[in-house]
């Protein structure tokens, strides 16, 4: 054999290499795992728990890669500020387009054209604003005008911190404009009465729900339709009732990839697929299951009992878009601040 030793024998060499291959193969090589952070608003908690699991399963099937999605929830306005201040969101799924515009404009974390990247202005589902009243509806609340009765105590979140509450406020204001044929002074008078009947403004929509349902405060909860349907499903023993007003707002919560974060973390492909999955049939069915109105007509028709026809108006139609609505009503010194100051002045 000369100096070659036993490894120089061809048969033994092949056997050794094959044994080495089997040994290495017996150790599992960990699959690549991608981490995403979805920064969202209050009423989407339960929805995204189930949606995230469905997406992770679909992504694993298609790519062999694992993905884990962390969730962050709170008032939509507060969440937008947190992202601007450094919360590393891969995607934002907030209550209204203005909050993502703020991230684009002031945080410069994504492009200003973000809303054109996905179908339906990047809003994969819709909702609206409805009321929940206590058993028997003792105050006979049927429409927005009934919320101005002095004996009615309203529970809702703060429009300064909650995107859902801004939808509530504009729903109330827009319905008053419809009722009074566009008379701004009459609509403002109604809002003064409406806001006077709110004893406490929670920071987020889920907090307002807890105040009404668990703490038993208030006569009526003004809430997103999906939140209201969830409350009724989870609290059957309390015998709460859902009231749909004659007119309400078409809420279109948007979603977006945070460009700077995904480029920094190398998560762009997964983040984009995650948001596109919201528009898939699976994603749309989960939207409907969690009481959001799906965009896909075939899915909407299967869940029509959850979502009866209503008369809607849009933010564009009644307020000239979110930028104008925010500037006039929610900026410092805007209509909401003015009315709040007047109410506080009268209570001193």
């Amino acid at each position: 054999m000369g100096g070659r030793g036993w490894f120089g024998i061809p048969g033994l060499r092949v056997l050794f290499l094959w044994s080495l291959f089997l040994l290495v193969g017996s150790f599992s090589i960990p699959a690549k795992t991608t981490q995403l952070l979805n920064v969202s608003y209050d009423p989407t908690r339960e929805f995204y728990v189930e949606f995230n699991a469905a997406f992770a399963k679909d992504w694993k099937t298609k790519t062999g890669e694992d993905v884990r999605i962390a969730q962050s929830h709170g008032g939509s306005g507060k969440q937008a500020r947190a992202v601007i201040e450094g919360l590393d969101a891969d995607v934002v799924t907030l209550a209204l387009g203005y909050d993502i515009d703020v991230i684009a404009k002031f945080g410069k974390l994504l492009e200003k054209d973000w809303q054109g990247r996905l179908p339906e202005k990047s809003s994969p589902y819709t909702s609206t604003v409805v009321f929940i009243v206590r058993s028997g509806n003792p105050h006979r609340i049927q429409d927005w005008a009934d919320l101005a009765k002095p004996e009615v105590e309203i529970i809702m979140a703060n429009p300064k911190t909650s995107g859902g509450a801004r939808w509530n406020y504009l729903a109330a204001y827009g319905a008053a404009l419809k009722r009074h044929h566009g008379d701004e002074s009459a609509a403002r008078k109604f809002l003064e009465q409406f806001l006077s009947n709110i004893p406490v403004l929670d920071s987020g929509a889920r907090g307002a729900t807890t105040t009404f349902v668990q703490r038993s405060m208030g006569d009526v909860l003004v809430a997103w339709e999906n939140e209201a349907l969830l409350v009724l499903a989870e609290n059957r023993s309390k015998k709460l009732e859902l009231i749909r007003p004659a007119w309400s707002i078409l809420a279109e919560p948007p979603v977006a990839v945070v460009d700077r974060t995904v480029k920094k973390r190398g998560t762009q492909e997964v983040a984009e697929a995650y948001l596109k999955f919201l528009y898939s049939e699976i994603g749309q069915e989960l939207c409907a299951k969690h009481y959001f109105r799906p965009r896909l007509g075939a899915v909407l028709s299967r869940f029509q009992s959850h979502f009866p026809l209503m008369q809607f108006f849009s933010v564009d139609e009644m307020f000239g878009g979110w930028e104008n609505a925010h500037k006039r009503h929610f900026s410092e010194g805007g209509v909401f601040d003015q009315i709040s100051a007047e109410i506080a002045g009268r209570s001193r």
Side-chain angles (χ1 to χ4, degrees):
M1 293 186 185
R4 296 185 303 165
W6 67 270
F7 189 73
I9 301 173
L12 289 177
R13 185 165 62 242
V14 170
L15 180 62
F16 173 81
L17 293 174
W18 178 246
S19 299
L20 183 63
F21 173 79
L22 291 176
L23 180 65
V24 172
S26 68
F27 294 97
S28 59
I29 300 172
K32 177 185 175 183
T33 300
T34 300
Q35 306 273 355
L36 295 181
L37 174 59
N38 175 5
V39 173
S40 195
Y41 60 107
D42 264 342
T44 61
R45 299 168 193 266
E46 295 81 6
F47 165 62
Y48 277 115
V49 168
E50 190 166 359
F51 176 82
N52 291 348
F55 172 74
K57 180 180 179 181
D58 183 77
W59 186 254
K60 177 77 170 179
T61 299
K62 289 176 178 175
T63 69
E65 297 176 358
D66 292 314
V67 59
R68 295 177 183 172
I69 304 103
Q71 299 173 217
S72 171
H73 297 271
S76 187
K78 288 178 67 177
Q79 293 290 79
R81 287 194 294 275
V83 172
I84 292 172
E85 291 167 4
L87 182 59
D88 263 347
D90 297 275
V91 299
V92 285
T93 57
L94 297 178
L96 50 113
Y98 180 82
D99 288 334
I100 302 181
D101 283 337
V102 167
I103 295 171
K105 183 176 180 180
F106 297 105
K108 301 192 184 303
L109 301 179
L110 67 159
E111 297 299 325
K112 293 180 180 179
D113 66 352
W114 64 269
Q115 208 159 20
R117 296 181 182 180
L118 289 168
E120 304 287 356
K121 298 186 294 184
S122 290
S123 297
Y125 56 81
T126 68
S127 192
T128 189
V129 176
V130 297
F131 315 146
I132 299 180
V133 298
R134 304 208 180 274
S135 180
N137 192 6
H139 292 283
R140 302 182 185 279
I141 293 167
Q142 297 298 329
D143 209 346
W144 290 100
D146 298 320
L147 303 189
K149 297 175 182 177
E151 70 274 14
V152 173
E153 194 172 79
I154 302 166
I155 300 298
M156 76 172 218
N158 189 339
K160 286 290 193 175
T161 56
S162 166
R166 275 174 273 177
W167 285 110
N168 294 348
Y169 172 102
L170 293 181
Y173 204 104
L177 287 172
K178 286 284 187 183
R179 188 167 63 253
H180 295 288
H181 309 289
D183 186 333
E184 289 279 354
S185 62
R188 177 161 176 154
K189 183 178 179 181
F190 166 74
L191 256 292
E192 290 172 5
Q193 297 167 322
F194 174 83
L195 293 175
S196 294
N197 287 349
I198 303 175
V200 58
L201 287 166
D202 288 282
S203 63
R206 185 54 56 85
T209 299
T210 299
T211 296
F212 182 79
V213 178
Q214 305 302 331
R215 297 172 60 196
S216 298
M217 290 181 61
D219 303 303
V220 56
L221 175 69
V222 179
W224 289 63
E225 179 184 50
N226 62 285
E227 184 80 348
L229 290 169
L230 179 64
V231 166
L232 266 61
E234 293 184 345
N235 297 275
R236 297 184 190 280
S237 64
K238 295 182 183 291
K239 298 181 180 178
L240 302 170
E241 298 178 21
L242 176 67
I243 305 296
R244 298 179 185 276
W247 279 95
S248 198
I249 201 161
L250 178 65
E252 299 177 288
V255 301
V257 170
V258 182
D259 294 333
R260 185 181 294 181
T261 301
V262 298
K263 288 174 182 175
K264 177 178 70 175
R265 299 183 61 224
T267 55
Q268 183 167 350
E269 181 184 6
V270 184
E272 289 177 350
Y274 176 73
L275 294 187
K276 288 177 181 177
F277 194 65
L278 286 165
Y279 294 85
S280 70
E281 187 157 354
I282 294 173
Q284 291 285 286
E285 286 181 350
L286 288 174
C287 289
K289 179 181 175 181
H290 289 271
Y291 308 115
F292 295 99
R293 292 183 177 235
R295 294 285 198 177
L296 199 60
V299 176
L300 179 60
S301 65
R302 292 201 295 271
F303 288 85
Q304 198 63 61
S305 61
H306 287 341
F307 310 116
L309 294 175
M310 293 176 62
Q311 294 186 99
F312 297 131
F313 53 83
S314 69
V315 172
D316 289 347
E317 172 194 350
M318 299 300 290
F319 303 100
W322 266 110
E323 186 173 357
N324 288 334
H326 185 274
K327 182 178 180 180
R328 180 164 182 234
H329 291 275
F330 308 119
S331 62
E332 293 301 315
V335 174
F336 175 75
D337 283 352
Q338 294 167 23
I339 295 175
S340 297
E342 291 167 9
I343 294 169
R346 290 198 300 266
S347 64
R348 291 194 186 111

